[in-house]
Amino acid sequence: MTFLLLLLLGCSLLASARGTCNVCNAVNSLTCYSQNQTQACDANSLPTGAPYSCPSGYVCVSGDSGVICVPEESAASSLADCQECNKCDTSNTFACTGTSSFALCLGTDTAQDSVGTCADGYVCNVNATEICGLPANGIMPTCSYADDADSSNSSSGATTTPSTSSPAAYCAAVMSAGRYPVGNDAYTTCRQYILCSLVSGSWKGQTYTCPGSLYFSSTANLCVAAMPSTCSTSVSSTTSTTAAPTTSNPAAYCAAMKSEGYYPVGTDPSTTCRQYINCFLLSGAWRGQMYTCPGSLYYNSASRICASGLPATCSATVSSLTLNGVVLE
């Protein structure tokens, strides 16, 4: 209680500058853990311990007076921290979607259907030049760890599910170890499941088919003899009967994009970062053509042109990256 009272006393002294989540304020050694929670910092200026909630109707703000809680309806509330999650950076290259995940913006101000993961131990920061950085080096996650928890708790009830055509991309989107059903075709995909696992900080996926005439039951989480109620004999699944789209198959890649334009190929600075795919619709069918930037130029997914600067996505701090279910190389 005393802790919260001290926070409220500083409301009238609020500064105009706004920081991001998890950044410790030297004035009172506190940080904003979420939009309405605070957290204490240790001697190394790193957040630690359990978060404290602001009073109902208050938001957390960090400024020259320290970390304080202010009334949500006040003018100062517009300066509240932890508001930059899922928002594209100033170059419209990426948006942090979790403490260690991000999405491409492709030159727009909206995060696209994309899933990127930071390398093990790294966190996503919207102001980081390499997207992901180390907390030990002062790079703190833009998103709140509270958002990660909310996302994990609600993932099983989400109304939109990622494509199962690419097991690795599916698992990177689900971000949870376990077995998951592939589709609802009684003759094909109902007999399959994807096994997701986290290996060295990177999500991996593998599609398996139940032996004999067994079906995969998501309820029992194993192969069973009885056909699950989710399976249908009148629906033909398209998620696994065709080859998964990859960047090595530009036509399949563009069929997954379903949009004309130029798209990145991968994250390897020496090879795929120099390439891009031009997608176009021809006679009702999606076509694609792979190109390589001239000389020592790299393809920039935000400006959609070849440029001399190494894109933020081309970094060892990035573990994996998918776009519309296609795994970028």
Side-chain angles (χ1 to χ4, degrees):
M1 182 61 70
T2 302
F3 173 79
L4 291 176
L5 289 175
L6 289 174
L7 293 178
L8 298 175
L9 287 175
C11 289
S12 60
L13 302 176
L14 181 67
S16 59
R18 178 171 65 85
T20 57
C21 274
N22 310 302
V23 177
C24 291
N25 192 305
V27 174
N28 55 0
S29 295
L30 298 173
T31 181
C32 288
Y33 176 82
S34 70
Q35 287 194 46
N36 54 18
Q37 293 174 296
T38 66
Q39 189 178 25
C41 298
D42 62 18
N44 296 315
S45 294
L46 292 175
T48 185
Y52 293 84
S53 296
C54 291
S56 179
Y58 283 72
V59 294
C60 182
V61 179
S62 180
D64 291 344
S65 300
V67 170
I68 57 179
C69 293
V70 302
E72 193 168 8
E73 65 274 9
S74 68
S77 66
S78 62
L79 305 172
D81 282 39
C82 303
Q83 297 186 96
E84 294 181 318
C85 195
N86 295 302
K87 292 185 178 181
C88 296
D89 71 331
T90 55
S91 67
N92 288 334
T93 298
F94 73 100
C96 293
T97 57
T99 56
S100 59
S101 64
F102 64 93
L104 295 180
C105 295
L106 300 181
T108 72
D109 59 3
T110 305
Q112 303 298 300
D113 182 8
S114 170
V115 179
T117 56
C118 296
D120 188 31
Y122 287 76
V123 296
C124 181
N125 186 290
V126 74
N127 297 311
T129 56
E130 292 187 330
I131 300 180
C132 306
L134 287 171
N137 294 336
I139 304 297
M140 303 306 296
T142 291
C143 295
S144 168
Y145 286 98
D147 294 332
D148 282 356
D150 291 342
S151 174
S152 176
N153 291 336
S154 62
S155 62
S156 61
T159 57
T160 302
T161 56
S163 171
T164 56
S165 60
S166 170
Y170 179 89
C171 294
V174 173
M175 296 182 69
S176 181
R179 297 182 178 88
Y180 299 90
V182 172
N184 60 356
D185 185 357
Y187 304 105
T188 55
T189 54
C190 266
R191 300 184 184 279
Q192 300 174 316
Y193 63 92
I194 292 177
L195 177 63
C196 295
S197 56
L198 187 62
V199 181
S200 300
S202 178
W203 286 103
K204 306 295 183 182
Q206 179 67 49
T207 299
Y208 292 93
T209 299
C210 292
S213 59
L214 301 183
Y215 302 90
F216 178 72
S217 168
S218 57
T219 302
N221 199 32
L222 47 78
C223 295
V224 298
M227 182 189 297
S229 60
T230 53
C231 298
S232 172
T233 57
S234 61
V235 176
S236 178
S237 171
T238 60
T239 56
S240 65
T241 55
T242 58
T246 65
T247 54
S248 60
N249 185 339
Y253 177 97
C254 293
M257 296 301 107
K258 291 184 172 62
S259 179
E260 294 187 320
Y262 301 97
Y263 296 96
V265 174
T267 61
D268 188 331
S270 62
T271 54
T272 54
C273 276
R274 301 185 184 277
Q275 300 173 314
Y276 63 93
I277 293 176
N278 178 26
C279 294
F280 55 94
L281 197 59
L282 180 64
S283 300
W286 286 104
R287 307 294 183 186
Q289 180 66 49
M290 178 95 73
Y291 293 94
T292 299
C293 291
S296 58
L297 301 183
Y298 302 93
Y299 178 72
N300 187 301
S301 65
S303 62
R304 300 200 177 195
I305 61 173
C306 293
S308 58
L310 186 68
T313 52
C314 301
S315 168
T317 67
V318 174
S319 174
S320 63
L321 181 59
T322 70
L323 183 59
N324 283 39
V326 181
V327 179
L328 302 191
E329 300 175 3

